[in-house]
Amino acid sequence: MEELTADVALVGLGAAGGSLLRALVRDGRARAGRRPLRVVAVEAPSASARRSASRSWCTWGPPGWRYEGDVAARWSRVRVVDGRGGVVEEALDPLEYRLVRSGDFEAAVAACAAGAEGVELRRAEVLEVADGVAGASVRARADDGGELLVRARWALDSRPPALPVPGRGRTVLLQHFRGWRVRTAEPVFDAGAATLMDFRVPQPARGTAFGYVLPTSAREALVEYTEFSRQPLTRARYEEALRAYLRGALGVGEFEVLEAESGVIPMTDVPFEPRAGRSVFRIGAAGGAVRPSTGYAFSAVQRQVDAVVAALAVGEVPVPPVPHRRRHLLMDAVVLRALDSGTVRGSELFPELFRRNGAARVLRFLDGRSTVRDEVRVMASAPRARMLRTVGGLALSAPARRRPAR
Ligand SMILES: Cc1cc2nc3c(=O)[nH]c(=O)nc-3n(C[C@H](O)[C@H](O)[C@H](O)COP(=O)(O)OP(=O)(O)OC[C@H]3O[C@@H](n4cnc5c(N)ncnc54)[C@H](O)[C@@H]3O)c2cc1C
């Protein structure tokens, strides 16, 4: 068995592990005394069943972002379409909605690791992450069967979490989707606008369904069919829904499928615990980065990464914070419960939120950057009476943002 030692072991190099590695390399403050931190990152080999499939990550914010070089497409306008075809479209100026493909991001992570002093990247499937008083140990197996043991002061584990079990007063919905990157025979897409939610799809008996369109030209787009509900569909059902959406609402005739992408993201008010032990911490989706009401996580991951790097720079325990405000988690718990119970229909709630607030305020809110005034307005535009009817059954104990403990 090969043994390595490190200051920091990164388990998984997706959005969270990859962002952390890049931040550690970029930020010379994180050092162990006079030398750079020694970092060993372990990512599952391509053939491993554990390896995450390709993902299209979108975020919004002002241009000139930290991953500017990885941006594959950007949109200055966003659109939400209600079930009757009513369109709310808005210029985001000075913000933009932008797409980073996980493959491009991972290539940038690998390039960053290759040139960095003290950083080693290994392709192996992690079998166990064990906590100890003086550090963590990470046991992994490479494709050739060779075993690897990494002993590290700290381990940051971003392996995807198991689906949470809904306890009393908690809600677990799934955001599940399948998308196709399509090329159409005719020019049908408006490449300047991303469609965040298009409700011109049949709504399930329980839950919410919508289309999502990221056009990269008049003839190419990533088109997804998404549901917020309790059970994923079969691949055949997603594809039937996708075909119907493309042909019906989008009016696409002939098209070819260039790539497919799918995902299941838990949307839940079950709290995630970033601290897995004295030396082992969860980060990313496993550490509670997913915003419960939306499934977006990429921006929140960056907040966790910044906190971890800042803690390492001053020799503190690098526990990733829960990257959402407590009041946002409470509001999300109400929304999730209302959607899950059917008290509020997502196909009515979301278009109305965008129509009455404008996209910029809703996106600020969804990104955790809203002011209390923004939030009062957002809540005032929701069907409050019906939402509040759901509050009674909630377990109102969202985890607070935690300062890393020593
Ligand atoms: C298809 C899809 C699209 C999404 N789109 C968006 C979006 O547009 N915007 C947004 O904000 N959020 C989006 N999300 C949600 C969230 O941002 C992503 O899930 C994000 O990838 C979470 O980052 P992570 O680092 O926690 O997990 P991941 O990025 O999945 O990283 C985990 C890493 O661990 C590796 N791994 C797993 N098991 C092992 C093992 N045993 N040994 C070694 N390595 C292992 C995986 O291969 C992977 O690289 C999307 C999610 C999915 C699934």
Side-chain angles (χ1 to χ4, degrees), residues 139-163:
R139 198 165 59 79
R141 188 166 40 228
D143 264 353
D144 62 6
E147 292 228 344
L148 170 70
L149 181 69
V150 184
R151 294 186 197 284
R153 178 65 196 93
W154 311 112
L156 277 301
D157 187 355
S158 62
R159 286 173 299 167
L163 273 190

Side-chain angles (χ1 to χ4, degrees), residues 8 16 71 87 104 164 177 192 199-200 212 240 295 366 401 406:
V8 180
V71 174
V87 177
D104 296 337
F177 52 91
F199 291 98
R200 291 174 297 167
Y212 177 70
E240 191 186 312
L366 297 181
R401 297 179 111 194
R406 275 200 167 270

Side-chain angles (χ1 to χ4, degrees), residues 52-53 68 97 141 246 261 307 337 346 348 367 376 384 402:
S52 294
E68 198 61 26
Y97 193 74
R141 188 166 40 228
L246 275 155
E261 172 170 320
R337 177 52 71 100
E348 293 162 15
D367 219 10
V376 169
R384 273 162 297 161
R402 218 170 283 109

Side-chain angles (χ1 to χ4, degrees), residues 12 14-16 43-44 50-52 55-58 126 158 285 296-298:
E43 166 61 33
R50 303 268 169 221
R51 186 159 161 77
S52 294
R55 288 140 287 158
S56 298
W57 291 312
C58 283
V126 171
S158 62
Y296 284 98
F298 202 86

